[in-house]
Amino acid sequence: MGYPMAGHLARHFTTAVWNRTPEVAARHAAEHGTRQAASIPDAVGADIVFSCVPTSREVNLLVDAALPALRPGSLWVDCTSGDPTMARATATRLAERGVTYLDAPVSGGRPGAESGTLSVMVGGDAAALERARPAIEAFSSRIVHVGAVGAGHMVKSVNNALMAVNLWAASEGVLALERGGVDLGAAMEVINASSGRSFATESLLAAGLGPDELQPWFKLALLHKDTAIASDVARNAGQPAPFLSLIVDMLGAARAGLGGEPDYRAIPRALRAWQKGILGRS
Amino acid sequence: MGYPMAGHLARHFTTAVWNRTPEVAARHAAEHGTRQAASIPDAVGADIVFSCVPTSREVNLLVDAALPALRPGSLWVDCTSGDPTMARATATRLAERGVTYLDAPVSGGRPGAESGTLSVMVGGDAAALERARPAIEAFSSRIVHVGAVGAGHMVKSVNNALMAVNLWAASEGVLALERGGVDLGAAMEVINASSGRSFATESLLAAGLGPDELQPWFKLALLHKDTAIASDVARNAGQPAPFLSLIVDMLGAARAGLGGEPDYRAIPRALRAWQKGILGRS
Amino acid sequence: MGYPMAGHLARHFTTAVWNRTPEVAARHAAEHGTRQAASIPDAVGADIVFSCVPTSREVNLLVDAALPALRPGSLWVDCTSGDPTMARATATRLAERGVTYLDAPVSGGRPGAESGTLSVMVGGDAAALERARPAIEAFSSRIVHVGAVGAGHMVKSVNNALMAVNLWAASEGVLALERGGVDLGAAMEVINASSGRSFATESLLAAGLGPDELQPWFKLALLHKDTAIASDVARNAGQPAPFLSLIVDMLGAARAGLGGEPDYRAIPRALRAWQKGILGRS
Amino acid sequence: MGYPMAGHLARHFTTAVWNRTPEVAARHAAEHGTRQAASIPDAVGADIVFSCVPTSREVNLLVDAALPALRPGSLWVDCTSGDPTMARATATRLAERGVTYLDAPVSGGRPGAESGTLSVMVGGDAAALERARPAIEAFSSRIVHVGAVGAGHMVKSVNNALMAVNLWAASEGVLALERGGVDLGAAMEVINASSGRSFATESLLAAGLGPDELQPWFKLALLHKDTAIASDVARNAGQPAPFLSLIVDMLGAARAGLGGEPDYRAIPRALRAWQKGILGRS
């Protein structure tokens, strides 16, 4: 995700890029005219620092390495789908250095990243968001300020958990229908024209049910992590949330059943394997 | 639902109407030029008989009363959101009389019924559907043949169960976010622009969370019944379906908590009451 | 189960035995002095007929074959762990022949069957139970009349579902503790001395967690069936019962994951496989 | 709980008692010959300090107040049913002062506390446990060392979650049976003689189903907290644990439904209210 996002940034701003794999940053420099940073400290002396990594744990490692090199008065915009509790701790660490943290996870997937039309949900100080807005607009067509530090991560985790629930439940339903004699295509056509439809049924279910190998878009392991964050958001809120709880456990079971490092769209395949396992068919 | 559907039928076909409440049939006759049937037998001597009642139990009662008056060679098109097992038994009873049964539940709600643009999912004999198609087209813009008798009910029940799951899970999520400091409107805006969106988040959630009394669109009790049918579809298919199971129990708990005869869009209110009950706030 | 039960009967009553596998009945005759029936009709001309088969489906097949040979005024005592709805239909069929049906599932496992100390939960006419009591006492130390026809099956299914829930939840808990650094033996010792204990933790969990091959006591597939009956009992009662629902789906997933025809005590192994699958360890 | 435990301590050791409510400590002094401490610092200059409060949050407050007065080389034995993560942080704080922390939650309820026969599950350094053992034995008949700091809390939380699951599921089952026509007493008799039995069915269910006001033994709110800890233990272990998840949400719903500050044995009453709410009966 970060690769095309940084490409959009570079069209409007002087941009340095650091990546765990130096070859990636070198390629980015060649393609987008960015400067390849030699190290994390070399990358973070900017007015605005963007981070986009798998989890808040990696953000912490970045901050560890970056802290001495950060410029007081600068902004750190974290586009990771992260943990709100860890984000608050990160914000405190950065504030001691005079740096303002915004959590700004994105939605829209690779297509949105490439076209620069991501949705961004931002938690943190509103004035800091105004300073960061021109840069965020380089890759976003919708920026929504959703609350204090951590609120962006909270909203993102809930969004992803809803997608996971919607996809899981739809998989249960259409696989049951298929086994009951309903043509899968017809079942999906009806549901997508009716009140049971969702982004998951419209955009994810068919690929998940089909025979083709799934390109690695988004690791199921990361979606699993997001659902656990969403469930914690509910628990901390005193909100009984049985579906947000159950999806955590079911994604765990699906990961175990699928093996390897599956893409999240493989969820229907985990459920189909359960059906076939019970019925004793290959 | 049946009232506007019969109105559309009457624009193209000679139509007799029977309703449990004679005044309703009389009003329909006055508005749409239909003939008010004096009794069930008086209504069912047609080429095509349509039924649209709350559950398959009421269909059975209709068939009990209609059986002697049915014309061999006629069709019975059941637009009820019914039970596939009961539908198969009904089809057998009608076949002994020479009548062909189609289950043909509809989707699109009152607006779709009024504009004549319902989606219809049909189970039963394909040739019989072709004979019925011109009549069904009077109130439908999409007719999908989904399988043998009962398949229509199966697809409808799964569609409704997915809607219920999507609405329930979304309610959990946004209420948790609200309690966590996120503005409800912003949370819904982001989700509706992201991968967590669904018909439920786009068209049902805001009314359910709002303060206004909910017009009676569709009884939560009937949605509860639909989810139980969907869960049975999964069990009969040997498909582990924890979300289709759990929604049955949660709708039961919501009905108990809300009291009275709530509309299905009140689901978020049941969940909000749980949050407030735990936090001890009014 | 039926083998030792019929052995106890034979110590007090003239007993004919029919088994799907004639060699089994021949062995029983040699061991216990029973008469090997040549066919189902040859077996059922007794004052009291006992059946003990995997599910109510097999009971139906037995009744089909037995009906013409049954003696009016006789009793049919069904020790199968069956379905209450099917039992009521069976009772009606038998009553038309003048035969009184009692559902009388048993608890106590193979040890109880061998020692003749099974618990029996009986549904049906109280006077019929009194007539059957001396025979049932041949293999039972506790006979409880729990209600009308079907009530025995209802109680048995709920008992088994509770056992399954208790075993499943305990497996989750101790496997999580083990992974968290707690010695499994110590965890089980404490729980078995504390308020979390159950028959499942005391008598099933250790074997399920251990390395030894599990002797086939009771098929997980049959326990799965029992939990589905219990969940239906709750649904028919209007009782929200999320745990009785969820265990149905989870046993389905466990069957699929374990493969083959596992014993029910393998439940902890299914859960351990999930943990290892996530952690990527063999 | 702490009151009788301190009474047993005082029979073998010089004991000072501090309680949030000074009158309680004064009464204890009069009854058991303990010294009423004037303040937290006045209480904690002992070789072994025991704490027994509702949650780890209150432990933290005690440690805040006690820290300057603690004696290097002393032990802090925390009998609270607490949070393992917070316990590890507490242990670190105390270690900086030279004090060794053991988490030592107890099981056995008020009767076990009064008779001095509690079970104690201890996490922390084994040598420190040996030093503390003579004191713990004053109120315990079973001391099990279960692992490192936090392990005691982990085991306790899992034990309590299993009790809650067992009680909840049993309530679902027997209430469904009752509605299905089975006498509640007979259902419980059979289950308690069969494989579905548990501490919950033997010792908690009858009171919960009965009409009498429940004496405040253990707040449902605290059991709710314990289940959330157990669910976190499973998540941190990578163990899919749908039942440990679901019980958290269901206890939340039960608290909201019951209102006030219910005892945990009221769980069956929450479920009965759900059934009656659906059936529209008072």
Side-chain angles (χ1 to χ4, degrees), chain B residues 228 231-232 235 239-242 244-246 248-250 252-253, chain C residues 228 231-232 235 239-242 244-246 248-250 252-253:
Chain B
S231 173
D232 271 348
R235 287 191 184 166
Q239 176 63 58
L244 297 188
S245 288
L246 189 58
V248 184
D249 301 293
M250 292 301 103
Chain C
S231 174
D232 271 347
R235 287 192 185 165
Q239 176 63 58
L244 297 187
S245 288
L246 190 58
V248 183
D249 301 294
M250 291 302 103

Side-chain angles (χ1 to χ4, degrees), chain A:
Chain A
M1 292 289 288
Y3 193 96
M5 290 162 67
H8 287 290
L9 279 170
R11 291 168 53 208
H12 303 282
F13 303 93
T14 307
T15 305
V17 168
W18 180 87
N19 187 281
R20 207 171 33 161
T21 310
E23 290 72 20
V24 173
R27 179 155 53 89
H28 200 279
E31 278 185 22
H32 295 286
T34 48
R35 179 175 69 81
Q36 179 181 1
S39 65
I40 294 173
D42 179 38
V44 299
D47 294 325
I48 308 184
V49 176
F50 285 88
S51 53
C52 192
V53 287
T55 77
S56 289
R57 234 178 333 216
E58 284 83 12
V59 176
N60 273 355
L61 297 175
L62 287 179
V63 171
D64 290 345
L67 212 48
L70 289 170
R71 292 213 340 243
S74 66
L75 301 177
W76 185 303
V77 180
D78 180 20
C79 297
T80 302
S81 291
D83 180 293
T85 305
M86 293 174 77
R88 284 188 281 268
T90 299
T92 301
R93 286 175 76 195
L94 291 173
E96 288 164 2
R97 178 79 193 174
V99 176
T100 302
Y101 173 91
L102 296 170
D103 48 309
V106 301
S107 177
R110 185 169 291 270
E114 283 170 1
S115 61
T117 59
L118 292 166
S119 288
V120 187
M121 43 211 95
V122 184
D125 180 66
L129 169 57
E130 289 319 303
R131 285 169 54 207
R133 187 180 292 273
I136 298 174
E137 280 173 343
F139 54 78
S140 167
S141 59
R142 177 191 302 264
I143 302 172
V144 184
H145 185 228
V146 293
V149 168
H153 290 333
M154 288 167 59
V155 174
K156 180 72 195 297
S157 71
V158 166
N159 176 78
N160 282 14
L162 296 184
M163 181 190 69
V165 167
N166 297 355
L167 180 57
W168 186 286
S171 303
E172 292 178 356
V174 299
L175 288 167
L177 289 173
E178 181 186 38
R179 178 78 190 157
V182 176
D183 178 70
L184 262 189
M188 281 193 279
E189 179 193 343
V190 173
I191 289 167
N192 281 330
S194 303
S195 54
R197 74 171 176 271
S198 61
F199 175 84
T201 62
E202 290 168 340
S203 304
L204 305 173
L205 189 56
L209 290 167
D212 296 340
E213 200 184 335
L214 296 167
Q215 294 304 311
W217 279 9
F218 179 46
K219 287 180 184 173
L220 180 53
L222 291 178
L223 182 59
H224 188 199
K225 175 261 296 174
D226 289 343
T227 59
I229 293 171
S231 174
D232 270 348
V233 168
R235 286 192 184 164
N236 292 336
Q239 176 64 58
F243 287 83
L244 296 188
S245 288
L246 190 57
I247 193 63
V248 184
D249 301 293
M250 292 301 102
L251 292 192
R255 284 175 63 195
L258 292 165
E261 192 61 272
D263 189 70
Y264 76 121
R265 292 170 299 156
I267 286 172
R269 300 178 184 193
L271 277 161
R272 180 176 266 157
W274 280 359
Q275 186 191 85
K276 292 195 171 169
I278 291 176
L279 298 170
R281 303 178 313 159
S282 69

Side-chain angles (χ1 to χ4, degrees), chain B residues 19-101:
Chain B
N19 188 281
R20 207 170 35 160
T21 309
E23 291 71 21
V24 172
R27 179 153 55 87
H28 199 278
E31 279 185 20
H32 294 286
T34 47
R35 179 174 70 79
Q36 179 182 1
S39 65
I40 294 172
D42 180 37
V44 299
D47 293 326
I48 308 184
V49 176
F50 285 88
S51 53
C52 192
V53 287
T55 77
S56 289
R57 235 181 331 217
E58 284 82 14
V59 176
N60 273 356
L61 296 175
L62 288 179
V63 171
D64 290 344
L67 212 49
L70 289 169
R71 291 213 344 242
S74 65
L75 301 176
W76 185 304
V77 180
D78 181 19
C79 297
T80 302
S81 291
D83 180 294
T85 305
M86 293 175 77
R88 285 188 280 268
T90 299
T92 301
R93 285 175 76 195
L94 291 173
E96 289 164 2
R97 178 79 194 173
V99 176
T100 302
Y101 173 91

